[in-house]
Amino acid sequence: MALIDYLLGQRKKKTANVAKDRLQILLAHERSERNAPEYLPQMRDEILAVIAKYVEIDQDQLQISIDEANGFEVLELNLVLPDK
Amino acid sequence: MSRVIVVTSGKGGVGKTTTSASISAGLALKGFKVAVIDFDVGLRNLDLIMGCERRVVYDFVNVVQGEASLNQALIRDKRIKNLYILAASQTRDKDALTLEGVGKVIEDLKTDGFDFIICDSPAGIEKGAQLALYFADEAIVVTNPEVSSVRDSDRILGILQAKSKRAESGDEGIVEHLVLTRYNPKRVETGEMLSVEDVIDLLNIPLLGVIPESEQVLNASNSGEPVILDEQSDAAQAYRDVVDRFLGEEKAHRFLTAEKKGLFKKLFGK
């Protein structure tokens, strides 16, 4: 039986590799959140205030993040406008 | 010049206190004057690992609150010259420590001529852990080759880079060192455990040393002796290498590969 286990074991993906892959994705995500610039919350509030002058919006509906993509820093704003 | 070193990890149970005790003892054996401070208020354990639990009269909180002098609270190690322990309080809560109070104790230790001030951090990222790292010049991040430990170490690295005195004052940041503990080369070779290269890759900080998983660590804590004093064990030798590297010596890393068993040992050994 040990021989069969051994042969099966060879085919399965090593768990250490799985661990490393999972951590790589997780740490990259957590670092980008952590390294978000300090002005982000205030900028978010100010942008919200401007939009609120024109449209009625739910304050929690604005998502804002800064990501890096292809060497560019991308400011991403996501806002769902209410149905008329 | 005194050096303030925090031993930290985020996650609990990875070997912070074991590492603090051994590195402090190792530095004192080299002739340096060393103070090791337990920041885990309410759950003190450094005294037990160092074997001085019955000699604690005054603790860190008493000093911070002005109820005892630093000299009254520092416990002199009975085995090693120049090694002093400052125990945490067992009865107070973590709010008993203040930033100013901790800062003053560290300044006083510097004035008293201590070469190294080792801050043994509590687990977590709350106030106690933040106070332990705030005044540090260098950090020893203790990590196990295991997913939650690596994640928490990365988190604590973020805090070291943002919430320490050095980070706030815009000086050079805290110098970071990785100590990987409970390493099992055999399981690394079979692909069941993250390798030291994997962990360095993930955390991206320089490696100070790898401590192999060792039965002697439990034996040492059972008897209240820092494991570094048990010269026969792999863990002790690995900690001695860590101390040498910390003091700037170049030393090859050991205990990274599984011991090859000979035929005799395979047949008759464990």
Side-chain angles (χ1 to χ4, degrees):
Chain A
M1 290 320 271
L3 183 66
I4 293 171
D5 284 347
Y6 176 77
L7 291 173
L8 283 176
Q10 294 296 300
R11 243 174 277 151
K12 251 192 292 173
K13 200 175 180 196
K14 301 277 199 255
T15 57
N17 294 336
V18 178
K20 191 178 182 188
D21 293 345
R22 291 173 62 212
L23 278 168
Q24 259 165 344
I25 295 165
L26 179 70
L27 295 189
H29 177 72
E30 288 183 343
R31 279 174 198 156
S32 76
E33 269 180 12
R34 203 159 71 208
N35 297 334
E38 268 175 49
Y39 59 74
L40 207 60
Q42 200 190 340
M43 188 168 82
R44 178 186 183 278
D45 290 348
E46 287 176 22
I47 292 172
L48 257 177
V50 172
I51 299 172
K53 278 207 284 192
Y54 302 94
V55 233
E56 213 172 287
I57 47 164
D58 182 352
Q59 301 273 318
D60 298 328
Q61 285 299 308
L62 182 69
Q63 280 164 10
I64 183 165
S65 66
I66 294 184
D67 285 315
E68 239 187 65
N70 307 323
F72 291 101
E73 276 202 285
V74 180
L75 172 68
E76 199 178 298
L77 280 163
N78 247 310
L79 176 68
V80 180
L81 292 174
D83 295 335
K84 283 277 163 70
Chain B
M1 255 292 279
S2 316
R3 286 159 81 181
V4 181
I5 298 132
V6 61
V7 178
T8 186
S9 70
K11 190 175 182 300
V14 297
K16 278 184 298 296
T17 302
T18 299
T19 299
S20 299
S22 278
I23 290 180
S24 311
L27 288 168
L29 283 172
K30 296 260 173 190
F32 294 102
K33 193 174 175 190
V34 181
V36 55
I37 310 176
D38 190 350
F39 274 77
D40 204 347
V41 174
L43 287 172
R44 82 168 174 224
N45 275 318
L46 179 70
D47 54 334
L48 206 49
I49 299 299
M50 300 288 293
C52 65
E53 70 277 8
R54 297 179 60 181
R55 294 199 289 138
V56 181
V57 181
Y58 294 110
D59 58 51
F60 190 19
V61 171
N62 292 137
V63 180
V64 165
Q65 307 261 327
E67 298 154 357
S69 72
L70 190 52
N71 277 329
Q72 285 175 305
L74 281 173
I75 304 165
R76 177 197 283 266
D77 189 89
K78 284 198 166 159
R79 296 155 298 221
I80 307 161
K81 216 180 133 203
N82 288 334
L83 177 59
Y84 295 83
I85 299 120
L86 188 52
S89 167
Q90 185 69 321
T91 50
R92 310 285 268 275
D93 63 54
K94 56 184 185 297
D95 294 326
L97 293 180
T98 59
L99 195 65
E100 300 72 36
V102 172
K104 175 148 194 321
V105 169
I106 288 177
E107 274 316 305
D108 289 350
L109 287 169
K110 286 182 178 175
T111 314
D112 282 354
F114 280 91
D115 299 300
F116 292 100
I117 301 157
I118 315 282
C119 304
D120 181 20
S121 173
I125 52 170
E126 308 291 309
K127 191 180 172 195
Q130 296 201 12
L131 280 174
L133 66 80
Y134 188 77
F135 296 98
D137 301 309
E138 298 180 53
I140 292 177
V141 178
V142 182
T143 308
N144 288 170
E146 180 270 326
V147 284
S148 51
S149 175
V150 173
R151 180 199 211 170
D152 290 359
S153 291
D154 194 65
R155 190 84 196 277
I156 211 80
L157 284 167
I159 294 174
L160 285 166
Q161 289 153 11
K163 294 193 174 167
S164 62
K165 191 178 176 194
R166 281 193 171 214
E168 284 176 2
S169 64
D171 291 346
E172 273 177 75
I174 291 180
V175 181
E176 298 156 349
H177 309 274
L178 172 66
V179 170
L180 193 59
T181 55
R182 310 193 76 160
Y183 197 67
N184 186 332
K186 217 171 146 189
R187 301 199 76 183
V188 171
E189 278 168 25
T190 56
E192 295 172 88
M193 184 180 267
L194 289 167
S195 70
V196 57
E197 293 82 11
D198 290 339
V199 179
I200 295 170
D201 228 29
L202 288 161
L203 292 178
N204 205 16
I205 60 171
L207 178 71
L208 188 60
V210 177
I211 314 299
E213 172 102 79
S214 162
E215 291 172 3
Q216 293 313 313
V217 173
L218 181 59
N219 283 328
S221 75
N222 285 343
S223 40
E225 284 218 339
V227 70
I228 197 169
L229 300 180
D230 172 18
E231 286 173 39
Q232 302 303 313
S233 77
D234 288 0
Q237 292 173 39
Y239 272 123
R240 283 177 192 248
D241 288 356
V242 162
V243 170
D244 289 339
R245 282 188 211 107
F246 190 73
L247 294 170
E249 234 178 275
E250 296 259 345
K251 277 214 150 172
H253 290 279
R254 297 194 274 169
F255 313 111
L256 299 184
T257 48
E259 192 189 328
K260 294 278 177 286
K261 281 190 176 178
L263 183 64
F264 183 83
K265 236 186 167 176
K266 262 188 190 157
L267 292 174
F268 303 106
K270 274 199 275 192

